[in-house]
Amino acid sequence: MWKLLRSLSREAETFKEQGNAYYAKKDYNEAYNYYTKAIDMCPKNASYYGNRAATLMMLGRFREALGDAQQSVRLDDSFVRGHLREGKCHLSLGNAMAACRSFQRALELDHKNAQAQQEFKNANAVMEYEKIAETDFEKRDFRKVVFCMDRALEFAPACHRFKILKAECLAMLGRYPEAQSVASDILRMDSTNADALYVRGLCLYYEDCIEKAVQFFVQALRMAPDHEKACIACRNAKALKAKKEDGNKAFKEGNYKLAYELYTEALGIDPNNIKTNAKLYCNRGTVNSKLRKLDDAIEDCTNAVKLDDTYIKAYLRRAQCYMDTEQYEEAVRDYEKVYQTEKTKEHKQLLKNAQLELKKSKRKDYYKILGVDKNASEDEIKKAYRKRALMHHPDRHSGASAEVQKEEEKKFKEVGEAFTILSDPKKKTRYDSGQDLDEEGMNMGDFDPNNIFKAFFGGPGGFSFEASGPGNFFFQFG
């Protein structure tokens, strides 16, 4: 019997030595195989479990390594390297408190052990990062949480909990590809991880892929029915989808009042869903524009681009509202933003139109001066001139103050200018198209309104204004 045991022990040692040789060559898979053979031969040897734990750690299989390390110290509580490896596995998996206990035990056995001292400090640092991250998550300081988790993961690279928290915060910061990558890595190792499924769903939800997001939330809840975050997110996603669709339906049916109410209700569901809310604001802006509440429409579109400054549709909607309210400078800015992003012929033409209207708005509005519509007929323009010219003629205001006389002279001149331009089809066309009238050789600064007045009214012997009573005048030909 003793001979058999000695034989098995010698054979186990041979396997261990072979395992050590492969370990030194960094061929950890072969090292693992030989340490396993040694354990099979001699299952009560603590060092064999310790060596296999070290190999599994190098392979990144920390949970399996933890089992071997724990077995090694159960067999020999004085095995310092076994306690160190147990602590290292706990720390790598994110259980810093358990790691501290293992490192403390190693220091009790060897108080000068430099590795145990350093690892104990590392474990305490991880606990501190966890504590700070928890506080900052409550404060919604997600950047700080990501920073803390990155530091903690330097010591705990296999901790899914830390990775999930980091991914969730990345999603809250709008860094969806990074968050998706972290969650996908975890799901490749554990396809049933409810937290990772939740984060995948969260990214899709915040990217306005609500239907797909719901599928991930439902899957997460199937794995963990009590997953509170997935439950809330799933409820919000379904409510948002339903309200938005109902709002769209009401809008298509022309029920703008109901559409407005539904979009408003949808906006109150989840303030964190930036992309969906940007679309809801833009949709509500469209409703307001249909209701001719243009200032409200502009405000909604402004809220949309505040949430998503790449949202072209909101810029286009706001620009049109600016055009409708004759805020041409603002419209030009929005169309410039759109054209810089998407250089299409349509966007170029919209920008060109806005720039033309801006240019026209900075000139005198001859239609407004005469008080006629832009589609006024020739007769309407003549009638308007007759009325305004008589109203502002200097002779009519000869008894007024110098200041009033000066103002009326200015208006009289403008009325003459307006008639000169709008009564000439060629000049009117150039004016309407925004072309410079000076190119026609018209210097309105040297314009004499009296010539137009005389030519228009004609009559022998000139004319005069006489009072028929206080403040009342009538035009009289001589």
Side-chain angles (χ1 to χ4, degrees):
M1 181 67 179
W2 288 109
K3 284 182 181 180
L4 177 61
L5 290 173
R6 281 197 298 273
S7 174
L8 290 173
S9 180
R10 283 195 299 271
E11 194 171 353
E13 277 296 307
T14 300
F15 286 138
K16 186 191 87 167
E17 292 301 325
Q18 288 175 298
N20 289 347
Y22 281 113
Y23 188 93
K25 293 177 188 176
K26 299 185 179 181
D27 187 347
Y28 302 117
N29 286 311
E30 278 302 304
Y32 171 84
N33 292 334
Y34 279 99
Y35 290 140
T36 299
K37 290 177 181 179
I39 289 169
D40 291 341
M41 290 290 176
C42 213
K44 299 295 184 182
N45 188 304
S47 68
Y48 297 167
Y49 287 100
N51 286 3
R52 192 169 71 173
T55 302
L56 287 165
M57 288 166 69
M58 296 306 294
L59 290 168
R61 294 157 61 179
F62 291 100
R63 204 161 293 282
E64 295 172 71
L66 177 61
D68 275 352
Q70 288 174 326
Q71 180 63 13
S72 74
V73 296
R74 275 195 291 268
L75 292 170
D76 181 3
D77 186 52
S78 65
F79 186 27
V80 174
R81 280 186 295 176
H83 288 293
L84 285 171
R85 287 165 184 158
E86 181 186 8
K88 189 69 174 172
C89 288
H90 277 308
L91 185 56
S92 295
L93 292 165
N95 193 344
M97 193 173 289
C100 280
R101 289 195 294 269
S102 296
F103 296 137
Q104 281 177 323
R105 179 57 183 152
L107 287 169
E108 287 170 8
L109 295 167
D110 180 6
H111 68 279
K112 292 184 179 180
N113 190 294
Q115 184 185 353
Q117 291 171 352
Q118 184 58 53
E119 294 291 2
F120 184 73
K121 288 179 183 178
N122 294 344
N124 276 292
V126 169
M127 284 194 287
E128 186 62 23
Y129 285 130
E130 279 191 86
K131 184 179 176 182
I132 295 169
E134 185 178 348
T135 302
D136 287 328
F137 189 88
E138 291 298 319
K139 293 178 183 176
R140 301 184 65 79
D141 189 349
F142 301 121
R143 283 184 177 81
K144 187 88 172 285
V145 178
V146 170
F147 172 82
C148 288
M149 290 301 94
D150 279 337
R151 300 291 80 73
L153 284 164
E154 290 174 6
F155 303 116
C159 181
H160 285 180
R161 184 163 44 87
F162 292 169
K163 289 179 180 179
I164 288 294
L165 181 56
K166 175 185 173 180
E168 184 177 357
C169 290
L170 287 170
M172 299 301 283
L173 290 167
R175 294 160 63 179
Y176 306 121
E178 294 172 76
Q180 290 266 30
S181 178
V182 174
S184 296
D185 286 345
I186 292 171
L187 288 170
R188 274 193 288 271
M189 292 181 280
D190 178 10
S191 62
T192 64
N193 190 298
D195 291 323
L197 289 166
Y198 160 71
V199 169
R200 283 292 306 276
L202 195 65
C203 290
L204 290 164
Y205 172 61
Y206 285 148
E207 289 183 294
D208 197 42
C209 300
I210 294 180
E211 200 166 327
K212 287 184 180 179
V214 169
Q215 293 174 7
F216 276 96
F217 294 144
V218 168
Q219 197 175 346
L221 289 167
R222 201 174 290 132
M223 298 301 136
D226 296 329
H227 200 294
E228 187 177 354
K229 288 181 178 179
C231 185
I232 293 170
C234 190
R235 185 169 64 242
N236 285 344
K238 288 179 177 178
L240 261 180
K241 184 173 181 288
K243 286 287 182 188
K244 186 181 176 186
E245 288 176 352
D246 288 346
N248 293 346
K249 182 182 177 186
F251 180 83
K252 287 176 184 176
E253 292 173 353
N255 192 342
Y256 301 131
K257 186 174 181 296
L258 177 59
Y260 178 89
E261 290 171 359
L262 289 165
Y263 289 140
T264 301
E265 288 172 14
L267 281 164
I269 292 171
D270 184 2
N272 294 320
N273 195 321
I274 291 170
K275 284 214 169 184
T276 302
N277 287 343
K279 290 183 178 180
L280 288 168
Y281 271 121
C282 188
N283 287 0
R284 196 173 73 174
T286 304
V287 171
N288 275 323
S289 70
K290 291 289 186 182
L291 295 169
R292 303 312 295 167
K293 296 180 178 179
L294 297 178
D295 288 339
D296 291 341
I298 289 169
E299 184 180 354
D300 276 339
C301 292
T302 299
N303 285 328
V305 298
K306 280 180 182 176
L307 292 176
D308 182 1
D309 63 1
T310 66
Y311 192 16
I312 295 298
K313 188 176 178 182
Y315 284 109
L316 287 170
R317 172 59 56 194
R318 186 172 69 175
Q320 184 58 57
C321 291
Y322 280 140
M323 292 290 285
D324 293 341
T325 53
E326 298 183 2
Q327 299 179 66
Y328 300 120
E329 287 188 9
E330 290 81 355
V332 167
R333 277 201 297 270
D334 277 354
Y335 283 133
E336 282 176 342
K337 171 79 174 177
V338 170
Y339 186 62
Q340 285 168 7
T341 307
E342 293 182 0
K343 295 186 183 298
T344 67
K345 287 183 179 179
E346 181 187 357
H347 294 158
K348 185 177 182 179
Q349 187 59 49
L350 287 168
L351 174 58
K352 189 177 178 181
N353 292 344
Q355 288 170 332
L356 175 61
E357 291 302 322
L358 175 60
K359 182 179 177 182
K360 287 163 67 175
S361 72
K362 291 182 177 181
R363 305 176 312 173
K364 290 178 182 178
D365 187 341
Y366 289 138
Y367 291 102
K368 188 174 182 180
I369 289 169
L370 285 184
V372 296
D373 184 78
K374 291 183 179 180
N375 297 315
S377 67
E378 187 177 343
D379 284 343
E380 287 171 330
I381 289 170
K382 285 180 179 180
K383 286 178 183 178
Y385 171 72
R386 181 189 300 275
K387 178 182 176 182
R388 296 294 173 108
L390 291 172
M391 184 186 302
H392 299 297
H393 195 285
D395 288 355
R396 182 168 186 166
H397 303 280
S398 58
S401 67
E403 187 178 345
V404 170
Q405 285 187 41
K406 187 176 181 180
E407 182 62 27
E408 292 300 325
E409 283 176 14
K410 178 185 175 185
K411 290 180 179 177
F412 180 66
K413 183 178 180 181
E414 287 179 340
V415 168
E417 286 179 16
F419 179 72
T420 300
I421 300 303
L422 300 183
S423 63
D424 184 316
K426 186 178 179 182
K427 292 172 184 174
K428 183 176 182 294
T429 299
R430 289 183 66 82
Y431 175 77
D432 288 343
S433 65
Q435 296 180 60
D436 289 327
L437 296 174
D438 290 344
E439 292 176 6
E440 287 282 296
M442 290 189 59
N443 186 349
M444 303 309 282
D446 298 332
F447 174 77
D448 185 353
N450 289 305
N451 292 335
I452 299 296
F453 189 85
K454 290 173 184 177
F456 188 88
F457 285 99
F463 57 87
S464 65
F465 284 92
E466 294 183 357
S468 61
N472 295 315
F473 295 85
F474 65 92
F475 180 74
Q476 183 182 58
F477 287 103

